[in-house]
Coordinates of all heavy atoms in Angstrom, one line a residue:
M1 N -11.1 8.7 -19.2 CA -10.5 8.9 -20.5 C -10.5 7.6 -21.3 O -10.0 6.6 -20.7 CB -9.2 9.5 -20.4 CG -8.4 9.7 -21.7 SD -6.8 10.5 -21.5 CE -5.8 9.0 -21.3
A2 N -10.9 7.5 -22.5 CA -10.8 6.3 -23.3 C -9.4 6.3 -24.0 O -8.8 7.3 -24.3 CB -11.9 6.3 -24.4
A3 N -9.0 5.1 -24.3 CA -7.8 4.8 -25.0 C -8.0 3.8 -26.1 O -9.0 3.1 -26.1 CB -6.7 4.4 -24.1
L4 N -7.1 3.8 -27.1 CA -7.3 3.0 -28.3 C -6.0 2.2 -28.6 O -4.9 2.8 -28.6 CB -7.6 3.9 -29.4 CG -7.7 3.2 -30.8 CD1 -9.0 2.5 -31.0 CD2 -7.6 4.3 -31.9
I5 N -6.2 0.9 -29.0 CA -5.1 0.2 -29.6 C -5.6 -0.3 -30.9 O -6.6 -0.9 -31.1 CB -4.7 -1.1 -28.7 CG1 -4.1 -0.7 -27.4 CG2 -3.7 -2.0 -29.5 CD1 -3.7 -1.8 -26.5
M6 N -4.8 0.1 -32.0 CA -5.1 -0.4 -33.3 C -4.3 -1.7 -33.4 O -3.1 -1.7 -33.4 CB -4.7 0.5 -34.4 CG -5.2 -0.1 -35.7 SD -4.0 -0.2 -37.0 CE -4.5 1.2 -38.0
V7 N -5.0 -2.8 -33.3 CA -4.4 -4.1 -33.3 C -3.9 -4.6 -34.6 O -2.8 -5.1 -34.8 CB -5.4 -5.2 -32.6 CG1 -4.7 -6.5 -32.5 CG2 -5.9 -4.7 -31.3
R8 N -4.8 -4.5 -35.6 CA -4.5 -4.8 -37.0 C -5.3 -3.7 -37.8 O -6.3 -3.2 -37.3 CB -4.9 -6.2 -37.4 CG -4.1 -7.3 -36.6 CD -4.4 -8.6 -37.2 NE -3.7 -9.7 -36.5 CZ -2.4 -10.0 -36.7 NH1 -1.7 -9.4 -37.6 NH2 -1.9 -11.0 -36.0
P9 N -5.0 -3.5 -39.0 CA -5.8 -2.6 -39.8 C -7.2 -3.0 -39.8 O -7.6 -4.1 -40.1 CB -5.2 -2.7 -41.2 CG -3.7 -3.1 -41.0 CD -3.8 -4.0 -39.8
G10 N -8.1 -2.0 -39.4 CA -9.5 -2.3 -39.3 C -10.0 -3.0 -38.1 O -11.1 -3.3 -37.9
R11 N -9.0 -3.3 -37.2 CA -9.4 -3.9 -35.9 C -8.8 -3.1 -34.7 O -7.7 -3.1 -34.4 CB -8.7 -5.3 -35.8 CG -9.3 -6.3 -36.8 CD -8.6 -7.6 -36.6 NE -9.2 -8.6 -37.5 CZ -8.8 -9.9 -37.5 NH1 -8.0 -10.3 -36.6 NH2 -9.4 -10.7 -38.3
D12 N -9.7 -2.3 -34.1 CA -9.4 -1.4 -33.0 C -10.0 -2.0 -31.7 O -11.0 -2.6 -31.7 CB -9.9 0.0 -33.3 CG -9.3 0.6 -34.5 OD1 -8.3 0.2 -35.0 OD2 -10.0 1.5 -35.0
W13 N -9.3 -1.7 -30.6 CA -9.7 -2.0 -29.3 C -9.7 -0.7 -28.5 O -8.7 0.0 -28.4 CB -8.8 -3.0 -28.7 CG -9.1 -3.5 -27.3 CD1 -10.1 -4.3 -27.0 CD2 -8.4 -3.2 -26.1 NE1 -10.1 -4.6 -25.6 CE2 -9.1 -3.9 -25.1 CE3 -7.3 -2.4 -25.8 CZ2 -8.7 -3.8 -23.7 CZ3 -6.9 -2.3 -24.5 CH2 -7.6 -3.0 -23.5
Q14 N -10.9 -0.4 -27.9 CA -11.0 0.7 -27.0 C -11.2 0.3 -25.6 O -11.9 -0.7 -25.4 CB -12.2 1.6 -27.5 CG -12.0 2.2 -28.8 CD -13.1 3.2 -29.1 OE1 -13.8 3.7 -28.3 NE2 -13.1 3.6 -30.4
A15 N -10.6 1.0 -24.7 CA -10.7 0.7 -23.3 C -10.6 2.0 -22.5 O -10.2 3.0 -23.0 CB -9.7 -0.3 -22.9
T16 N -10.8 1.8 -21.2 CA -10.5 3.0 -20.3 C -9.0 3.2 -20.3 O -8.3 2.3 -20.6 CB -11.0 2.7 -18.9 OG1 -10.2 1.6 -18.3 CG2 -12.5 2.4 -18.8
G17 N -8.7 4.4 -19.9 CA -7.2 4.7 -19.9 C -6.5 3.8 -18.9 O -5.4 3.4 -19.1
G18 N -7.2 3.5 -17.8 CA -6.5 2.6 -16.8 C -6.3 1.2 -17.3 O -5.2 0.6 -17.1
L19 N -7.2 0.6 -18.0 CA -7.0 -0.7 -18.6 C -6.0 -0.7 -19.7 O -5.2 -1.6 -19.8 CB -8.4 -1.3 -19.0 CG -8.4 -2.8 -19.4 CD1 -7.9 -3.6 -18.2 CD2 -9.7 -3.2 -19.8
F20 N -6.0 0.3 -20.5 CA -5.0 0.5 -21.5 C -3.6 0.6 -20.9 O -2.7 -0.2 -21.3 CB -5.3 1.8 -22.3 CG -4.3 2.2 -23.3 CD1 -4.2 1.7 -24.5 CD2 -3.4 3.2 -22.9 CE1 -3.2 2.1 -25.4 CE2 -2.4 3.7 -23.8 CZ -2.3 3.1 -25.0
E21 N -3.5 1.4 -19.9 CA -2.2 1.5 -19.2 C -1.7 0.2 -18.6 O -0.6 -0.2 -18.7 CB -2.2 2.6 -18.2 CG -0.9 2.9 -17.6 CD -0.9 4.1 -16.6 OE1 -1.5 5.1 -17.0 OE2 -0.3 3.9 -15.5
W22 N -2.7 -0.5 -17.9 CA -2.3 -1.7 -17.3 C -1.8 -2.7 -18.4 O -0.9 -3.5 -18.1 CB -3.6 -2.3 -16.6 CG -3.2 -3.6 -15.9 CD1 -2.7 -3.7 -14.6 CD2 -3.3 -4.9 -16.5 NE1 -2.5 -5.1 -14.4 CE2 -2.8 -5.8 -15.5 CE3 -3.7 -5.4 -17.7 CZ2 -2.7 -7.2 -15.7 CZ3 -3.6 -6.8 -17.9 CH2 -3.1 -7.6 -16.9
T23 N -2.5 -2.8 -19.5 CA -2.1 -3.7 -20.6 C -0.7 -3.4 -21.1 O 0.1 -4.3 -21.3 CB -3.1 -3.6 -21.8 OG1 -4.4 -3.9 -21.3 CG2 -2.8 -4.5 -22.9
L24 N -0.4 -2.1 -21.3 CA 1.0 -1.8 -21.7 C 2.0 -2.1 -20.6 O 3.1 -2.6 -20.9 CB 1.1 -0.3 -22.1 CG 0.8 -0.1 -23.6 CD1 -0.5 -0.6 -24.1 CD2 0.9 1.4 -24.0
E25 N 1.6 -1.8 -19.4 CA 2.5 -2.1 -18.2 C 2.8 -3.7 -18.1 O 3.8 -4.1 -17.7 CB 2.0 -1.6 -16.9 CG 2.0 -0.1 -16.8 CD 3.4 0.5 -16.6 OE1 4.4 -0.2 -16.5 OE2 3.4 1.8 -16.5
Y26 N 1.8 -4.4 -18.5 CA 1.9 -5.9 -18.6 C 3.0 -6.2 -19.6 O 3.9 -7.1 -19.4 CB 0.6 -6.6 -18.9 CG 0.7 -8.0 -19.4 CD1 1.0 -9.0 -18.6 CD2 0.7 -8.2 -20.8 CE1 1.1 -10.3 -19.1 CE2 0.8 -9.5 -21.3 CZ 1.1 -10.5 -20.5 OH 1.2 -11.8 -21.0
L27 N 2.9 -5.6 -20.8 CA 3.8 -5.9 -21.9 C 5.3 -5.5 -21.7 O 6.2 -6.2 -22.0 CB 3.3 -5.3 -23.2 CG 2.0 -5.8 -23.8 CD1 1.4 -4.9 -24.8 CD2 2.2 -7.2 -24.3
I28 N 5.5 -4.3 -21.2 CA 6.8 -3.6 -21.2 C 7.9 -4.5 -20.6 O 8.9 -4.8 -21.2 CB 6.7 -2.2 -20.5 CG1 5.9 -1.3 -21.4 CG2 8.1 -1.7 -20.2 CD1 5.5 0.0 -20.7
P29 N 7.7 -5.0 -19.4 CA 8.8 -5.8 -18.8 C 9.0 -7.2 -19.4 O 10.0 -7.8 -19.2 CB 8.4 -6.0 -17.3 CG 7.0 -5.8 -17.3 CD 6.6 -4.9 -18.4
R30 N 8.1 -7.6 -20.2 CA 8.1 -9.0 -20.8 C 8.7 -8.9 -22.2 O 9.0 -10.0 -22.8 CB 6.7 -9.6 -20.9 CG 6.2 -9.9 -19.5 CD 4.7 -10.3 -19.5 NE 4.2 -10.7 -18.2 CZ 3.9 -10.0 -17.2 NH1 3.9 -8.6 -17.4 NH2 3.5 -10.5 -16.1
L31 N 8.9 -7.7 -22.8 CA 9.4 -7.6 -24.2 C 10.9 -7.8 -24.2 O 11.6 -7.1 -23.5 CB 9.0 -6.2 -24.7 CG 7.5 -6.1 -25.2 CD1 7.2 -4.6 -25.3 CD2 7.2 -6.8 -26.4
D32 N 11.3 -8.6 -25.1 CA 12.8 -8.7 -25.4 C 13.2 -7.6 -26.3 O 14.3 -7.1 -26.2 CB 13.1 -10.0 -26.1 CG 12.9 -11.2 -25.1 OD1 13.2 -11.0 -23.9 OD2 12.6 -12.3 -25.6
D33 N 12.3 -7.1 -27.2 CA 12.7 -6.1 -28.1 C 12.7 -4.7 -27.4 O 11.6 -4.2 -27.0 CB 11.6 -6.0 -29.3 CG 12.0 -5.0 -30.3 OD1 13.0 -5.2 -31.1 OD2 11.3 -3.9 -30.4
Q34 N 13.8 -4.2 -27.1 CA 14.0 -3.0 -26.3 C 13.4 -1.7 -26.9 O 13.0 -0.8 -26.3 CB 15.4 -2.8 -25.8 CG 15.8 -3.9 -24.8 CD 14.9 -4.0 -23.6 OE1 14.7 -3.0 -22.9 NE2 14.2 -5.1 -23.4
K35 N 13.5 -1.7 -28.3 CA 13.0 -0.5 -29.0 C 11.5 -0.5 -28.8 O 10.9 0.6 -28.5 CB 13.3 -0.6 -30.5 CG 12.9 0.6 -31.2 CD 13.3 0.5 -32.7 CE 12.9 1.8 -33.4 NZ 13.4 1.7 -34.8
T36 N 10.8 -1.6 -28.9 CA 9.4 -1.6 -28.7 C 9.0 -1.3 -27.2 O 8.1 -0.6 -26.9 CB 8.8 -3.0 -29.1 OG1 9.1 -3.2 -30.5 CG2 7.3 -3.1 -28.9
A37 N 9.8 -1.9 -26.3 CA 9.5 -1.7 -24.9 C 9.7 -0.2 -24.6 O 8.9 0.4 -23.8 CB 10.5 -2.5 -24.0
G38 N 10.7 0.4 -25.1 CA 10.9 1.9 -24.9 C 9.8 2.7 -25.5 O 9.4 3.7 -24.9
W39 N 9.3 2.3 -26.6 CA 8.1 3.0 -27.2 C 6.9 2.9 -26.3 O 6.2 3.9 -26.1 CB 7.9 2.5 -28.6 CG 6.7 3.2 -29.2 CD1 5.4 2.7 -29.4 CD2 6.7 4.5 -29.8 NE1 4.6 3.6 -30.0 CE2 5.3 4.7 -30.2 CE3 7.6 5.5 -29.9 CZ2 5.0 6.0 -30.8 CZ3 7.2 6.7 -30.4 CH2 5.9 6.9 -30.9
L40 N 6.6 1.7 -25.9 CA 5.4 1.5 -25.0 C 5.6 2.3 -23.7 O 4.6 2.9 -23.2 CB 5.2 0.0 -24.7 CG 4.3 -0.7 -25.7 CD1 4.8 -0.6 -27.1 CD2 4.1 -2.1 -25.3
R41 N 6.8 2.4 -23.2 CA 7.1 3.1 -21.9 C 6.8 4.6 -22.2 O 6.2 5.3 -21.4 CB 8.5 2.9 -21.5 CG 9.0 3.8 -20.4 CD 8.3 3.8 -19.1 NE 8.0 2.5 -18.6 CZ 6.8 2.2 -17.9 NH1 5.9 3.1 -17.6 NH2 6.6 0.9 -17.5
M42 N 7.2 5.1 -23.4 CA 6.9 6.5 -23.7 C 5.4 6.8 -23.8 O 4.9 7.8 -23.3 CB 7.6 7.0 -25.0 CG 7.4 8.4 -25.2 SD 7.5 9.0 -26.9 CE 6.4 8.0 -27.8
V43 N 4.7 5.8 -24.4 CA 3.2 6.0 -24.6 C 2.6 6.1 -23.2 O 1.7 6.9 -22.9 CB 2.6 4.8 -25.4 CG1 1.1 4.8 -25.3 CG2 3.1 4.8 -26.8
V44 N 3.0 5.3 -22.2 CA 2.5 5.3 -20.9 C 2.9 6.6 -20.2 O 2.1 7.3 -19.6 CB 2.9 4.1 -20.1 CG1 2.6 4.2 -18.6 CG2 2.3 2.8 -20.6
D45 N 4.2 6.9 -20.2 CA 4.7 8.0 -19.5 C 4.2 9.4 -20.0 O 4.0 10.3 -19.2 CB 6.2 8.1 -19.5 CG 6.9 7.0 -18.7 OD1 6.2 6.3 -17.9 OD2 8.1 6.8 -18.8
E46 N 3.9 9.5 -21.3 CA 3.4 10.7 -21.8 C 1.9 10.7 -21.9 O 1.3 11.7 -22.4 CB 4.0 10.9 -23.2 CG 5.5 11.0 -23.2 CD 6.0 12.3 -22.5 OE1 5.3 13.3 -22.6 OE2 7.1 12.2 -21.9
N47 N 1.3 9.6 -21.4 CA -0.2 9.5 -21.4 C -0.8 9.8 -22.8 O -1.8 10.5 -22.9 CB -0.8 10.5 -20.4 CG -2.2 10.2 -20.0 OD1 -2.6 9.0 -20.0 ND2 -2.9 11.2 -19.6
L48 N -0.2 9.1 -23.8 CA -0.6 9.3 -25.2 C -2.0 8.7 -25.5 O -2.7 9.2 -26.4 CB 0.4 8.8 -26.1 CG 1.8 9.5 -26.0 CD1 2.7 8.9 -27.0 CD2 1.6 11.0 -26.2
G49 N -2.4 7.6 -24.8 CA -3.7 7.1 -25.0 C -4.0 6.3 -26.2 O -5.1 6.0 -26.5
S50 N -2.9 6.0 -27.0 CA -3.1 5.2 -28.2 C -1.9 4.4 -28.6 O -0.8 4.9 -28.3 CB -3.7 6.0 -29.4 OG -2.7 6.9 -29.8
L51 N -2.0 3.3 -29.2 CA -0.9 2.5 -29.6 C -1.4 1.9 -31.0 O -2.5 1.3 -31.1 CB -0.6 1.4 -28.6 CG 0.4 0.4 -29.1 CD1 1.8 1.0 -29.2 CD2 0.5 -0.8 -28.1
W52 N -0.5 1.9 -31.9 CA -0.7 1.3 -33.3 C 0.2 0.2 -33.4 O 1.4 0.4 -33.8 CB -0.5 2.4 -34.4 CG -1.5 3.5 -34.2 CD1 -1.4 4.5 -33.3 CD2 -2.7 3.8 -35.0 NE1 -2.5 5.4 -33.4 CE2 -3.3 4.9 -34.5 CE3 -3.2 3.1 -36.1 CZ2 -4.4 5.5 -35.0 CZ3 -4.4 3.7 -36.6 CH2 -5.0 4.8 -36.1
I53 N -0.2 -1.0 -33.1 CA 0.7 -2.2 -33.1 C 1.3 -2.4 -34.5 O 2.5 -2.7 -34.6 CB 0.0 -3.5 -32.6 CG1 -0.4 -3.3 -31.1 CG2 0.8 -4.7 -32.8 CD1 -1.2 -4.4 -30.5
P54 N 0.5 -2.2 -35.6 CA 1.1 -2.4 -37.0 C 2.3 -1.5 -37.2 O 3.1 -1.9 -38.1 CB 0.0 -2.2 -37.9 CG -1.3 -2.5 -37.1 CD -0.9 -2.0 -35.7
D55 N 2.5 -0.4 -36.5 CA 3.6 0.5 -36.8 C 4.8 0.1 -36.0 O 5.9 0.7 -36.2 CB 3.2 1.9 -36.4 CG 2.2 2.5 -37.4 OD1 2.0 1.9 -38.4 OD2 1.6 3.6 -37.1
L56 N 4.7 -0.9 -35.1 CA 5.9 -1.3 -34.3 C 6.9 -2.1 -35.2 O 6.5 -2.6 -36.3 CB 5.5 -2.2 -33.2 CG 4.6 -1.6 -32.1 CD1 4.1 -2.7 -31.2 CD2 5.3 -0.5 -31.4
P57 N 8.2 -2.2 -34.9 CA 9.1 -3.0 -35.6 C 8.6 -4.4 -35.7 O 7.9 -4.9 -34.8 CB 10.4 -2.9 -34.8 CG 10.2 -1.7 -33.9 CD 8.8 -1.5 -33.7
D58 N 8.9 -5.1 -36.8 CA 8.4 -6.5 -37.0 C 8.6 -7.4 -35.8 O 7.6 -8.0 -35.3 CB 9.1 -7.1 -38.2 CG 8.7 -6.5 -39.5 OD1 7.7 -5.7 -39.5 OD2 9.4 -6.7 -40.5
A59 N 9.8 -7.4 -35.2 CA 10.1 -8.3 -34.1 C 9.2 -7.9 -32.9 O 8.6 -8.7 -32.2 CB 11.5 -8.3 -33.7
G60 N 9.1 -6.6 -32.6 CA 8.3 -6.1 -31.5 C 6.8 -6.4 -31.7 O 6.1 -6.8 -30.8
R61 N 6.3 -6.2 -32.9 CA 4.9 -6.4 -33.2 C 4.6 -7.9 -33.0 O 3.6 -8.2 -32.3 CB 4.6 -6.1 -34.7 CG 3.2 -6.2 -35.0 CD 2.9 -5.9 -36.5 NE 3.7 -6.7 -37.4 CZ 4.6 -6.3 -38.2 NH1 4.9 -5.0 -38.4 NH2 5.3 -7.1 -39.0
D62 N 5.4 -8.8 -33.5 CA 5.1 -10.2 -33.3 C 5.2 -10.6 -31.8 O 4.4 -11.4 -31.4 CB 6.2 -11.0 -34.1 CG 6.0 -10.9 -35.6 OD1 4.9 -10.4 -36.0 OD2 6.9 -11.2 -36.4
E63 N 6.1 -10.0 -31.1 CA 6.3 -10.3 -29.7 C 5.1 -9.8 -28.9 O 4.6 -10.5 -28.0 CB 7.6 -9.7 -29.2 CG 8.1 -10.2 -27.9 CD 9.4 -9.7 -27.5 OE1 10.0 -8.9 -28.2 OE2 9.8 -10.1 -26.4
V64 N 4.6 -8.6 -29.2 CA 3.4 -8.1 -28.6 C 2.2 -9.0 -28.8 O 1.5 -9.4 -27.9 CB 3.1 -6.6 -29.1 CG1 1.7 -6.2 -28.7 CG2 4.1 -5.7 -28.5
Y65 N 2.0 -9.4 -30.0 CA 0.9 -10.4 -30.3 C 1.0 -11.6 -29.5 O 0.1 -12.1 -28.8 CB 0.8 -10.7 -31.8 CG 0.3 -9.6 -32.7 CD1 0.9 -9.5 -34.0 CD2 -0.7 -8.7 -32.3 CE1 0.5 -8.5 -34.8 CE2 -1.1 -7.7 -33.2 CZ -0.5 -7.6 -34.4 OH -0.9 -6.6 -35.3
A66 N 2.2 -12.2 -29.4 CA 2.5 -13.4 -28.7 C 2.2 -13.2 -27.2 O 1.6 -14.1 -26.5 CB 3.9 -13.9 -28.9
L67 N 2.7 -12.1 -26.6 CA 2.5 -11.9 -25.2 C 1.0 -11.6 -24.9 O 0.6 -12.1 -23.8 CB 3.3 -10.7 -24.8 CG 4.8 -10.9 -24.7 CD1 5.6 -9.6 -24.6 CD2 5.1 -11.8 -23.5
L68 N 0.3 -10.9 -25.7 CA -1.1 -10.7 -25.5 C -1.8 -12.1 -25.5 O -2.7 -12.3 -24.6 CB -1.7 -9.8 -26.5 CG -1.3 -8.3 -26.4 CD1 -1.8 -7.6 -27.6 CD2 -1.7 -7.7 -25.1
R69 N -1.5 -13.0 -26.4 CA -2.2 -14.2 -26.5 C -1.8 -15.2 -25.4 O -2.6 -16.0 -24.9 CB -1.8 -14.9 -27.8 CG -2.4 -14.2 -29.0 CD -1.8 -14.8 -30.3 NE -2.2 -14.0 -31.4 CZ -1.5 -13.9 -32.5 NH1 -0.3 -14.6 -32.6 NH2 -1.9 -13.2 -33.5
S70 N -0.6 -15.1 -24.9 CA -0.1 -16.2 -24.0 C -0.3 -16.0 -22.5 O -0.5 -16.9 -21.8 CB 1.4 -16.4 -24.2 OG 2.1 -15.3 -23.8
G71 N -0.4 -14.7 -22.0 CA -0.5 -14.6 -20.6 C -1.3 -13.4 -20.1 O -1.4 -13.2 -18.9
L72 N -1.8 -12.7 -21.0 CA -2.5 -11.5 -20.5 C -3.7 -11.8 -19.6 O -3.8 -11.2 -18.5 CB -3.0 -10.7 -21.8 CG -3.8 -9.4 -21.5 CD1 -2.8 -8.3 -20.9 CD2 -4.5 -8.9 -22.7
L73 N -4.6 -12.7 -20.0 CA -5.7 -13.0 -19.1 C -5.4 -13.5 -17.8 O -5.9 -13.2 -16.7 CB -6.7 -13.9 -19.8 CG -7.7 -13.2 -20.8 CD1 -8.6 -14.2 -21.4 CD2 -8.5 -12.1 -20.1
A74 N -4.4 -14.4 -17.7 CA -3.9 -15.0 -16.5 C -3.4 -13.9 -15.6 O -3.7 -13.9 -14.4 CB -2.9 -16.1 -16.7
A75 N -2.6 -13.0 -16.1 CA -2.0 -11.9 -15.3 C -3.2 -11.0 -14.8 O -3.1 -10.5 -13.7 CB -1.0 -11.1 -16.1
A76 N -4.1 -10.7 -15.7 CA -5.3 -9.9 -15.3 C -6.1 -10.5 -14.1 O -6.5 -9.8 -13.2 CB -6.1 -9.6 -16.5
R77 N -6.3 -11.8 -14.2 CA -7.0 -12.5 -13.1 C -6.3 -12.3 -11.8 O -6.9 -12.2 -10.8 CB -7.2 -13.9 -13.5 CG -8.3 -14.2 -14.5 CD -8.6 -15.6 -14.7 NE -9.5 -15.8 -15.8 CZ -9.1 -16.2 -17.1 NH1 -7.9 -16.5 -17.3 NH2 -10.0 -16.3 -18.0
R78 N -4.9 -12.4 -11.9 CA -4.1 -12.3 -10.7 C -4.0 -10.9 -10.1 O -4.1 -10.6 -8.9 CB -2.7 -12.8 -10.9 CG -2.5 -14.3 -10.9 CD -1.0 -14.6 -11.0 NE -0.2 -13.9 -11.9 CZ 0.0 -14.2 -13.2 NH1 -0.6 -15.3 -13.7 NH2 0.7 -13.4 -13.9
E79 N -3.8 -9.9 -11.1 CA -3.4 -8.6 -10.7 C -4.5 -7.5 -10.6 O -4.3 -6.6 -9.8 CB -2.3 -8.1 -11.7 CG -1.1 -9.0 -11.6 CD 0.0 -8.6 -12.7 OE1 -0.2 -7.5 -13.3 OE2 0.8 -9.4 -13.0
L80 N -5.5 -7.6 -11.4 CA -6.6 -6.6 -11.3 C -7.3 -6.7 -10.0 O -7.5 -7.8 -9.5 CB -7.5 -6.7 -12.5 CG -6.9 -6.4 -13.9 CD1 -8.0 -6.6 -15.0 CD2 -6.4 -5.0 -14.0
P81 N -7.7 -5.6 -9.5 CA -8.4 -5.6 -8.2 C -9.8 -6.3 -8.3 O -10.4 -6.2 -9.3 CB -8.5 -4.2 -7.8 CG -8.3 -3.4 -9.0 CD -7.5 -4.2 -10.0
E82 N -10.1 -7.0 -7.2 CA -11.5 -7.6 -7.2 C -12.5 -6.5 -7.1 O -12.3 -5.4 -6.6 CB -11.6 -8.5 -6.0 CG -10.7 -9.7 -6.0 CD -11.0 -10.6 -7.2 OE1 -12.1 -10.8 -7.6 OE2 -10.0 -11.2 -7.7
G83 N -13.6 -6.8 -7.7 CA -14.7 -5.8 -7.6 C -15.7 -6.0 -8.8 O -15.4 -6.9 -9.6
P84 N -16.7 -5.2 -8.8 CA -17.8 -5.5 -9.8 C -17.3 -5.2 -11.3 O -17.9 -5.7 -12.2 CB -18.9 -4.5 -9.5 CG -18.2 -3.5 -8.5 CD -17.1 -4.2 -7.9
A85 N -16.2 -4.4 -11.5 CA -15.7 -4.1 -12.8 C -14.7 -5.1 -13.3 O -14.4 -5.1 -14.5 CB -15.1 -2.7 -12.8
K86 N -14.3 -6.0 -12.5 CA -13.2 -7.0 -12.9 C -13.7 -7.9 -14.1 O -13.0 -8.1 -15.0 CB -12.7 -7.8 -11.8 CG -11.6 -8.7 -12.1 CD -10.9 -9.3 -11.0 CE -9.7 -10.1 -11.4 NZ -8.9 -10.6 -10.2
G87 N -14.9 -8.4 -14.0 CA -15.5 -9.3 -15.0 C -15.5 -8.6 -16.4 O -15.2 -9.1 -17.4
D88 N -16.0 -7.3 -16.4 CA -16.0 -6.5 -17.6 C -14.6 -6.3 -18.2 O -14.4 -6.4 -19.4 CB -16.7 -5.2 -17.4 CG -18.2 -5.3 -17.1 OD1 -18.8 -6.4 -17.5 OD2 -18.8 -4.4 -16.6
A89 N -13.7 -6.0 -17.3 CA -12.3 -5.8 -17.7 C -11.7 -7.1 -18.3 O -11.1 -7.0 -19.4 CB -11.4 -5.3 -16.6
L90 N -12.0 -8.2 -17.7 CA -11.5 -9.5 -18.3 C -12.1 -9.8 -19.6 O -11.4 -10.2 -20.6 CB -11.7 -10.6 -17.3 CG -11.0 -10.6 -16.0 CD1 -11.5 -11.7 -15.1 CD2 -9.5 -10.7 -16.2
A91 N -13.4 -9.4 -19.8 CA -14.1 -9.6 -21.1 C -13.5 -8.7 -22.1 O -13.2 -9.2 -23.3 CB -15.6 -9.4 -20.9
Q92 N -13.2 -7.5 -21.8 CA -12.5 -6.6 -22.7 C -11.2 -7.0 -23.1 O -10.8 -6.9 -24.3 CB -12.4 -5.2 -22.1 CG -13.6 -4.3 -22.4 CD -13.3 -2.9 -22.0 OE1 -13.0 -2.5 -20.9 NE2 -13.2 -2.0 -23.0
L93 N -10.4 -7.6 -22.2 CA -9.1 -8.1 -22.5 C -9.2 -9.3 -23.4 O -8.4 -9.5 -24.3 CB -8.3 -8.4 -21.3 CG -7.9 -7.2 -20.4 CD1 -7.4 -7.6 -19.1 CD2 -6.9 -6.3 -21.2
G94 N -10.2 -10.1 -23.2 CA -10.5 -11.2 -24.1 C -10.8 -10.8 -25.5 O -10.3 -11.4 -26.5
E95 N -11.5 -9.6 -25.7 CA -11.8 -9.1 -27.0 C -10.5 -8.6 -27.6 O -10.3 -8.8 -28.8 CB -12.7 -7.9 -26.8 CG -14.1 -8.3 -26.4 CD -15.0 -7.1 -26.1 OE1 -14.6 -6.0 -26.3 OE2 -16.1 -7.4 -25.6
L96 N -9.6 -8.0 -26.9 CA -8.3 -7.6 -27.4 C -7.5 -8.8 -27.9 O -7.0 -8.7 -29.0 CB -7.5 -6.9 -26.3 CG -6.0 -6.6 -26.6 CD1 -5.9 -5.6 -27.8 CD2 -5.3 -5.9 -25.4
I97 N -7.5 -9.8 -27.2 CA -6.7 -11.0 -27.6 C -7.3 -11.6 -28.9 O -6.6 -11.9 -29.8 CB -6.8 -12.1 -26.5 CG1 -6.0 -11.6 -25.3 CG2 -6.2 -13.4 -27.0 CD1 -6.2 -12.4 -24.0
A98 N -8.6 -11.6 -29.0 CA -9.3 -12.1 -30.2 C -8.9 -11.3 -31.4 O -8.8 -11.9 -32.5 CB -10.8 -12.1 -30.0
L99 N -8.7 -10.0 -31.2 CA -8.3 -9.2 -32.4 C -6.9 -9.4 -32.9 O -6.6 -9.0 -34.0 CB -8.5 -7.7 -32.0 CG -9.9 -7.2 -31.7 CD1 -9.9 -5.8 -31.1 CD2 -10.7 -7.3 -33.0
T100 N -6.1 -10.1 -32.1 CA -4.7 -10.3 -32.5 C -4.6 -11.4 -33.6 O -3.5 -11.6 -34.2 CB -3.8 -10.7 -31.3 OG1 -4.2 -12.0 -30.8 CG2 -3.8 -9.7 -30.3
W101 N -5.6 -12.2 -33.8 CA -5.5 -13.3 -34.7 C -5.9 -12.9 -36.1 O -6.6 -12.2 -36.5 CB -6.5 -14.5 -34.3 CG -6.0 -15.1 -33.0 CD1 -6.6 -14.8 -31.8 CD2 -5.0 -16.0 -32.8 NE1 -5.9 -15.5 -30.8 CE2 -4.9 -16.2 -31.4 CE3 -4.0 -16.6 -33.6 CZ2 -4.0 -17.1 -30.8 CZ3 -3.1 -17.4 -33.0 CH2 -3.0 -17.7 -31.7

């Protein structure tokens, strides 16, 4: 199943459902904005398969962008399982980060 993050208007990121969920699970415990963390938790728990970052509260949106830029790739290198798909997953996450600017 494919999933989608609208990063900015006109800038969408598509990934497998597993990589999408992993990305949100990376964000949730690191967010100070509890409203945003709760929303992301609901997206994962309800298997909604999409997130529109521009629709988040201002503080949450800015925090999501900062967290994606600051530690996502390092966490993915540590946490994603080794195998032939890991390189592609890291490249996709790099594309997501690039869309945040």
Side-chain angles (χ1 to χ4, degrees):
M1 176 177 90
L4 173 80
I5 295 179
M6 189 229 258
V7 182
R8 296 191 182 276
R11 293 183 178 185
D12 298 339
W13 181 74
Q14 292 187 18
T16 64
L19 190 57
F20 170 82
E21 184 175 315
W22 183 89
T23 302
L24 270 55
E25 291 285 1
Y26 160 80
L27 292 168
I28 292 166
R30 292 169 173 83
L31 284 164
D32 291 327
D33 183 73
Q34 291 305 299
K35 184 175 182 180
T36 299
W39 178 255
L40 269 58
R41 171 58 47 213
M42 187 206 52
V43 170
V44 170
D45 290 349
E46 299 295 325
N47 198 27
L48 298 179
S50 67
L51 173 67
W52 299 73
I53 296 174
D55 289 349
L56 296 173
D58 291 346
R61 182 182 59 241
D62 293 344
E63 199 174 357
V64 165
Y65 290 143
L67 287 167
L68 291 173
R69 293 172 187 151
S70 67
L72 181 69
L73 276 180
R77 285 187 186 102
R78 282 190 314 272
E79 297 174 16
L80 292 178
E82 293 300 327
K86 186 170 184 173
D88 290 341
L90 293 173
Q92 270 194 293
L93 292 169
E95 292 169 8
L96 171 61
I97 294 164
L99 292 172
T100 66
W101 296 101

